[in-house]
Amino acid sequence: MIDTERLIRKAAAYGIDAAPVVRKLDEYAALLVEYNQKVNLTAITDAEGIEDRHFIDSLLLAARPEVCGRMVDVGTGAGFPGIVAKLFRPELDLTLMEPTGKRVDFLKYACSALGVEAEFAKERAEEAARKQWRESFDVAPAPAVGARTAGAGRVLPALAEAGRRVHCHERQRRG
């Protein structure tokens, strides 16, 4: 599906060794494109777009040393960056939070197919912050919605005090 050698080269340009996970990322891309034919998960379905916008962006987050412990991916959609982070750092304790049932079904399907252990929360961030999820996580990528502060405001209630020191991470975008 994707050009695995090209992805390895792109990741290496950022100092990231993607070789150990590139086969799983290729499987993930195939699952995404196939499932996207029946459920709208993403507008990005071409191989190079998936490599750049989904995988490289997710790997840029996952490669950060402070990405450890319990991670929640709020508004994960099709699983970015959460599933990629878990593939790259299998020791992460991952929760994928997504309010849309059809997307949660895909996340469960993809994680099962890829052998990824994760917890699933069919919730909106605002609702989850008032429930058992409050202050439960060490790291949370800020969702790609609105201004950075708006995204950070949605995930901060989920972070434990230690996570607040790490702070939430917004997805890295190359210029």
Side-chain angles (χ1 to χ4, degrees):
M1 164 72 226
I2 61 170
D3 183 333
T4 56
E5 292 303 315
R6 180 175 60 202
L7 180 59
I8 290 170
R9 285 191 308 273
K10 287 177 181 180
Y14 293 100
I16 300 168
D17 181 10
V21 296
V22 75
R23 295 286 175 233
K24 286 287 187 183
L25 293 176
D26 188 38
E27 288 177 44
Y28 186 12
L31 292 169
L32 176 72
V33 170
E34 177 188 339
Y35 208 94
N36 200 65
Q37 292 176 1
K38 57 184 175 181
V39 174
N40 182 24
L41 300 168
T42 179
I44 302 165
T45 57
D46 64 289
E48 195 159 12
I50 291 170
E51 293 165 23
D52 293 342
R53 301 291 303 220
H54 294 317
F55 294 160
I56 292 295
D57 283 355
S58 297
L59 288 168
L60 283 166
L61 170 84
R64 297 177 68 139
E66 63 268 24
V67 175
C68 60
R70 295 196 69 213
M71 178 176 153
V72 61
D73 188 359
V74 176
T76 189
F80 302 109
I83 292 175
V84 176
K86 177 70 173 179
L87 290 170
F88 189 77
R89 292 189 181 269
E91 70 277 8
L92 277 177
D93 183 5
L94 176 65
T95 298
L96 298 168
M97 189 174 293
E98 170 59 43
T100 308
K102 291 179 181 181
R103 288 186 177 158
V104 172
D105 291 343
F106 168 74
L107 295 169
K108 289 177 179 179
Y109 168 73
C111 286
S112 176
L114 296 168
V116 168
E117 283 188 38
E119 190 168 352
F120 306 94
K122 185 181 171 287
E123 305 235 26
R124 296 183 58 77
E126 300 82 0
E127 295 164 8
R130 292 188 288 268
K131 297 180 182 178
Q132 77 273 15
W133 306 105
R134 188 167 189 82
E135 297 184 359
S136 298
F137 301 98
D138 301 308
V139 74
V145 294
R148 181 180 189 273
T149 55
R154 288 181 58 202
V155 298
L156 277 174
L159 293 171
E161 286 302 316
R164 289 176 196 263
R165 285 192 295 273
V166 171
H167 208 270
C168 59
H169 303 280
E170 69 178 316
R171 294 176 184 160
Q172 304 282 322
R173 292 286 179 207
R174 297 166 321 283

